[in-house]
Amino acid sequence: MKKINLVILFSGNGSNMENLIEYFNHNEFLSEDAKEKVGIQISCAVTNNPNAYGISRCEALGVNCEILPHKEFDSREKFDEALLTLLKKYNPDAVILAGFMRILSPVFTSVIKSINIHPSLLPKYKGANAIKETYESGDEFGGVSVHWVSDILDGGEIILQDYIPKIAGESLEAFEDRIHKLEHNLYPTAILKALNLTRVIK
Ligand code: GRF
């Protein structure tokens, strides 16, 4: 069976990473022309944060986790070069960013095909406070975007978006929970779309 090899990058909690690993491990996929079964394998997860909770999720899932602390590098470019060297060992078909809280420089983005998830309806609310900014806005909807990574922060081509209505009187925490649920639903589907695969429904 043909195998697609992915590496996931994360920085903290790692709930999207865990959700993707479970989804890819427990489903079967078909090529776009439905002629060939395709497996998706996560050969490695990489974090820039030695204290990330996601590291213990990897241990529990039996997924190899590499720790590359960004603090050991004196520039963004040097970290990105080290990340490229590390990724060469795994030779991924694509790299998945799942809560990876580092801006990647062209050193990385010009060489590696990667996909990111962002908790807003881009181009609205780029950056690290998207959920709070959406919550505090007068917008009727919040949402999630999955996009190709470019050297513009949260600016690459959109693969898929989904949205939820705001609920009057809802707390920020409850809104945040609904956004994360939406992320967990959307990200696997969007990655399949980007890879031109469909899931076999059993
Ligand atoms: C998610 O909201 C993701 O969209 C953003 O960072 C958060 C990561 O959460 N980029 P988790 O680590 O996957 O739980």
Side-chain angles (χ1 to χ4, degrees), residues 17 28 56 117 130 145 147 159 161 174 197:
M17 172 188 63
E28 288 183 339
S56 47
I117 188 161
S145 306
H147 63 92
I159 298 165
Q161 289 181 308
L197 298 176

Side-chain angles (χ1 to χ4, degrees), residues 12-17 98-99 101 117-119 131 180 183:
N13 181 27
S15 72
N16 278 285
M17 172 188 63
M101 305 309 276
I117 188 161
H118 185 76
I131 298 180
H180 289 313
E183 290 191 310

Side-chain angles (χ1 to χ4, degrees), residues 40-106:
I40 300 180
Q41 132 199 334
I42 309 295
S43 53
C44 175
V46 181
T47 183
N48 62 310
N49 172 12
N51 301 314
Y53 179 67
I55 297 169
S56 47
R57 293 189 195 258
C58 287
E59 278 163 16
L61 290 159
V63 169
N64 175 28
C65 180
E66 300 259 17
I67 302 172
L68 186 68
H70 66 272
K71 288 190 177 149
E72 289 177 7
F73 300 87
D74 56 22
S75 74
R76 197 174 288 291
E77 287 73 18
K78 283 194 182 137
F79 172 77
D80 285 2
E81 274 162 23
L83 185 55
L84 283 181
T85 306
L86 178 61
L87 289 177
K88 264 195 203 135
K89 253 177 40 184
Y90 297 96
N91 192 25
D93 296 298
V95 169
I96 307 299
L97 276 55
F100 185 64
M101 305 309 276
R102 295 277 307 161
I103 296 173
L104 291 161
S105 74

